[in-house]
Structure formats: C-alpha cells, structure tokens
Amino acid sequence: LGLMPALKSHINGIKKRTGMNIAVESENCDQRFLPDMEINLFRIIQESLHNIVKHSNAKNAGVTLKKVGGGLQITIDDDGIGFEKSRMENSAGSNTGIGIMGMQERVYNLGGTFTITSGESEGTRILVEIPLNPPSIG
C-alpha cells in the first residue's frame, strides 16, 4: 500500500486503543519510496509512537513527513513528560534506550541523521532526515 496508507492505518489503531490524539501530515510524500526505505521509515515511526504511548503520558502527538531539498524530513513529537537525555545515556547496557538505538541504526543505514530533543515536562521531538537517494541497505 505504501508508507502513508500504512502509517495512517497504524495511527488509527493506536488512537482507537489509547484515545490519544495523533495528527499525521504529509507534504508531497504520497508517492512510493524504495521498499527498504518504506519499511525502515515505518519501523522508525512505529517505534517512536510505541515509546510515546508507553513512556510519555502524552495526550497529543504528531507525525509530519515532508520533502525538503533532496531529502525527506520526518518529525515525531508529543506533549508528554519528556526525559533528560543523560538519563537514557547513563542506561547504556540496560534495556532502556534499545528502541532508540534501533531507530538510530535504521536512520544511519539510510544515510540520514537522527536527533532527539527532550526535557522533563517539555515533551519530546524526534527529527529524522533521510536523503531520497540513500545508500543501498545490506
């Protein structure tokens, strides 16, 4: 079906299950991408939303996809409790942060960048930037 229909279906399921308000927007991103890219982008967003539901106590979240220059920019944010990044970094070696490490690895395999901005009581924002002509995944 493609990335956007799959995301909308997944997000509708989360909304029904949790009652959370999740907005999804796309700017010029309704076309199909390479299959490996679509799968990895879906998994990144899926894990981000899973973390929001599980950890953030957010009432609202948003997913935005848009083409910027020669790439794709994805923003996932919430109005939850946030976290201090040092707390996650200090937990290396534990199960905390494994999902985030997996997302980072997927982004880097696509030749992109991954940034988290968060603070306690400030919500969290994940910014993913991927070139539209990524290196092959292998």
Side-chain angles (χ1 to χ4, degrees), residues 1 13 18 27 33 35 49 55 58 77 79 82 105 107-108:
L1 295 175
T18 67
E27 293 180 25
F33 298 103
L49 293 172
H55 302 292
D77 54 8
D79 64 356
E105 186 174 319
V107 170
Y108 297 148

Side-chain angles (χ1 to χ4, degrees), residues 14 39 47 62 74 80 82-83 102 108 113 136:
I14 294 171
I39 290 167
E47 179 65 22
I74 301 169
F83 63 93
Y108 297 148
T113 60
S136 59

Side-chain angles (χ1 to χ4, degrees), residues 33-81:
F33 298 103
L34 295 171
D36 284 342
M37 178 183 267
E38 285 187 341
I39 290 167
N40 279 287
L41 293 176
F42 179 83
R43 295 292 183 215
I44 291 162
I45 296 166
Q46 181 183 43
E47 179 65 22
S48 297
L49 293 172
H50 172 78
N51 287 343
I52 290 169
V53 169
K54 186 174 179 180
H55 302 292
S56 77
N57 295 330
K59 291 182 176 42
N60 301 289
V63 177
T64 305
L65 292 87
K66 63 182 174 180
K67 284 186 183 176
V68 177
L72 183 62
Q73 185 180 76
I74 301 169
T75 306
I76 305 118
D77 54 8
D78 68 66
D79 64 356
I81 60 172

